[in-house]
Amino acid sequence: MKTTGFYPCVRVDAAGSGVVSRAGGLLLTDAVRTSGLGAELSRALAPWRKPLVRHDPAKIVCDLAVALALGGDCLADIAVLRGEPAVFGLVASDPTVSRTIDALAGDAERVLKAIGTARAAARARVWALAGQHAPDAGIDADSPIVIDTDATLLTAHSDKQGAAPTFKRGYGFHPLWAFVDHGADGTGEPLAVMLRPGNAGSNTAADHIAVVRDALKQLPSWRPGTRPGRKVLIRADSAGCTHDFLDWVAVSQRMSYSVGFTLPDDFDQVLPRIPKRAWTPAYDAGGKVRDGAWVADVTGLLNLSTWPKGMRVIARKERPHPGAQLRITDIDGHRVTAFATNTARGQLADLELRHRRRARAEDRIRVAKDTGLTNLPLHEFTQNQIWCAIVSLACELTAWMQMLAFTSDNHTGHEARRWEPKRLRLRLFSTAARIAHTGRRIIVHLARDGAWTDLLLTAITRLRQLAVPG
């Protein structure tokens, strides 16, 4: 048939049967099974399961997390799963979901602690299964596990409990997050989140300590009552550079840190005193020498007597990119920034590159906003605390799935471990298939010639080989 337009003109009817439009969601349900998250949540949330109820609160929480990972952003989007019972099982109705969230929010502190316990147990299993690909594989003082902290602003378009004006003249919330970095070959996963009003301070030490303390509880290698030591590195922007926070990190917990450092106002007078030989070339993101950027240790030129012992301040100067607006503190056409660390060993350029990779935390926040965080959909503050926990679960399921299912066996699988939600949804999660029933078994037939069928089938097979028996 000859066509006269850009696309084929096909006949459309509603006679199809046994078709599922999100067969790729099996990656997420298998991640729940492989990690043991479903069983852990069921045990943790058992006190909130009423007698004779049909729907386990843990299943509802898991369903919401899967719905967010698939692209949802409100409670009602769980309907995407309800329409595919062959893949996602029995899914609660909207009123049941709403009542369950209300019940959990009524005891939010205990519920969040219970969910955190389940997450930690599931994370320990996932990292053990990941082996050398796990974030804590081969860590030591020279190559520590990295925890990034960062805050973000969320706009509230209605008068929600806890919403307040923000420092950017907006209105909403100012949650603080902690993520574990997977390194250059992976993504990252959330460890802890603290939902705060929009007027919460950016550099509140108590909030940073609370979030990092919760994050440490999620590390499989950490034991209650012990100090993490130099095997853990805390990275933060200048909001984390406060005396109380660094005293707790470096002195109380003896951890390593790398935080943004605000140079004193008179540093423009100090800068000319740094000899040219003290400046060494900086590295780009790939670890290669970057033209027009240098780093130098300026610890001896600053008064750091009130800061924790062992602090070093490393400055970076670079030529601003074309079109950048120079600031009054920029000297001789160079932009000067600095960070502080208590790491004593290593080349300056390596330490500066390690700190600059803190920007990955911003990638993790962008992923979270693409996974239900952009708009907190509920009214009560405690309800939105539960929602943030579900967002964390959704991000973790995606990260765990990628860590276990996509290995370096081939180029496509290696690249897929770094795919963000949008690409995963377009290429894998939205894969269509045909459902077949054989006896008591359900078989999902993927398209034989699908562009991503081999990758999807291989990933599902790997997850099921690692799954918890039964």
Side-chain angles (χ1 to χ4, degrees):
M1 179 179 67
K2 184 177 180 180
T3 60
T4 58
F6 290 141
Y7 305 104
C9 183
V10 299
R11 178 181 175 182
V12 180
D13 60 33
S17 62
V19 178
V20 58
S21 60
R22 288 179 177 81
L26 287 169
L27 287 170
L28 298 170
T29 59
D30 283 340
V32 172
R33 185 181 300 109
T34 301
S35 65
L37 178 64
E40 295 292 345
L41 275 176
S42 188
R43 282 191 289 268
L45 297 181
W48 292 273
R49 181 175 183 175
K50 297 180 180 180
L52 304 179
V53 296
R54 189 179 186 186
H55 299 281
D56 189 336
K59 175 62 162 60
I60 293 176
V61 169
C62 280
D63 284 345
L64 286 170
V66 171
L68 295 186
L70 291 175
D73 63 359
C74 65
L75 296 181
D77 285 336
I78 201 173
V80 173
L81 276 61
R82 193 181 302 118
E84 308 288 359
V87 175
F88 302 108
L90 184 63
V91 178
S93 64
D94 289 348
T96 300
V97 172
S98 181
R99 286 194 299 268
T100 300
I101 296 300
D102 285 343
L104 297 178
D107 196 5
E109 185 175 351
R110 288 181 58 214
V111 167
L112 292 174
K113 184 176 180 180
I115 292 176
T117 300
R119 291 171 56 215
R123 193 185 321 277
R125 172 171 173 77
V126 170
W127 288 15
L129 292 174
Q132 63 178 350
H133 300 293
D136 61 349
I139 60 171
D140 55 29
D142 293 327
S143 181
I145 188 171
V146 180
I147 296 177
D148 293 316
T149 65
D150 204 357
T152 186
L153 295 177
L154 304 178
T155 299
H157 298 284
S158 60
D159 190 13
K160 298 177 181 178
Q161 186 182 42
T166 69
F167 67 92
K168 288 190 175 181
R169 300 182 180 181
Y171 182 80
F173 300 90
H174 193 190
L176 180 63
W177 289 81
F179 302 91
V180 62
D181 186 26
H182 286 184
D185 292 330
T187 54
E189 55 191 275
L191 296 179
V193 56
M194 175 186 287
L195 183 61
R196 307 183 299 169
N199 57 1
S202 298
N203 57 352
T204 305
D207 291 350
H208 280 78
I209 292 173
V211 167
V212 173
R213 183 180 282 119
D214 288 343
L216 293 174
K217 295 177 183 178
Q218 292 294 316
L219 298 182
S221 58
W222 183 80
R223 296 292 178 268
T226 63
R227 294 176 175 178
R230 293 301 180 92
K231 290 184 178 181
V232 177
L233 170 70
I234 304 298
R235 283 193 310 207
D237 56 14
S238 57
C241 191
T242 61
H243 290 79
D244 290 343
F245 180 56
L246 292 186
D247 283 339
W248 181 80
V249 169
V251 180
S252 176
Q253 302 301 311
R254 298 182 181 177
M255 292 185 288
S256 300
Y257 63 82
S258 181
V259 298
F261 187 86
T262 302
L263 293 169
D265 294 337
D266 61 351
F267 191 75
D268 57 332
Q269 301 176 16
V270 177
L271 190 62
R273 291 160 44 193
I274 304 175
K276 290 184 178 181
R277 64 178 181 276
W279 294 100
T280 60
Y283 293 157
D284 60 17
K288 305 296 183 181
V289 173
R290 176 172 178 174
D291 184 40
W294 304 266
V295 293
D297 191 329
V298 298
T299 305
L301 301 176
L302 301 171
N303 181 10
L304 303 177
S305 59
T306 60
W307 293 95
K309 185 178 179 180
M311 173 184 275
R312 302 172 64 192
V313 177
I314 299 173
R316 171 190 172 96
K317 70 174 183 178
E318 62 181 336
R319 291 192 291 267
H321 60 81
Q325 183 70 38
L326 290 176
R327 297 169 295 189
I328 193 171
T329 55
D330 295 333
I331 304 169
D332 296 332
H334 292 95
R335 177 152 294 169
V336 181
T337 56
F339 71 98
T341 182
N342 61 347
T343 302
R345 294 182 293 184
Q347 299 293 326
L348 295 182
D350 290 325
L351 295 178
E352 194 274 336
L353 177 59
R354 183 186 71 176
H355 176 74
R356 197 149 34 91
R357 284 174 174 161
R358 191 209 64 82
R360 289 177 183 154
E362 298 176 6
D363 295 335
R364 305 286 74 77
I365 287 179
R366 186 180 66 252
V367 166
K369 288 185 175 181
D370 200 18
T371 314
L373 184 65
T374 297
N375 175 41
L376 300 184
L378 306 171
H379 179 267
E380 301 296 327
F381 188 81
T382 53
Q383 292 175 331
N384 284 322
Q385 284 182 303
I386 302 298
W387 180 262
C388 286
I390 295 173
V391 170
S392 296
L393 285 171
C395 294
E396 285 168 335
L397 281 177
T398 303
W400 293 346
M401 178 273 295
Q402 290 175 287
M403 188 190 306
L404 297 178
F406 302 130
T407 65
S408 56
D409 292 351
N410 58 71
H411 177 72
T412 304
H414 181 67
E415 289 294 325
R417 189 179 171 187
R418 296 194 296 270
W419 286 355
E420 292 194 359
K422 179 181 177 181
R423 183 164 295 182
L424 287 170
R425 292 164 188 161
L426 286 174
R427 296 187 178 184
L428 297 180
F429 294 163
S430 61
T431 299
R434 183 174 294 279
I435 299 292
H437 296 267
T438 304
R440 295 184 179 181
R441 293 190 304 164
I442 299 176
I443 302 175
V444 176
H445 294 293
L446 301 174
R448 180 180 304 171
D449 300 323
W452 312 104
T453 296
D454 288 343
L455 178 62
L456 178 57
L457 186 59
T458 301
I460 291 175
T461 302
R462 283 177 177 148
L463 287 173
R464 294 186 175 181
Q465 289 173 345
L466 300 171
V468 179

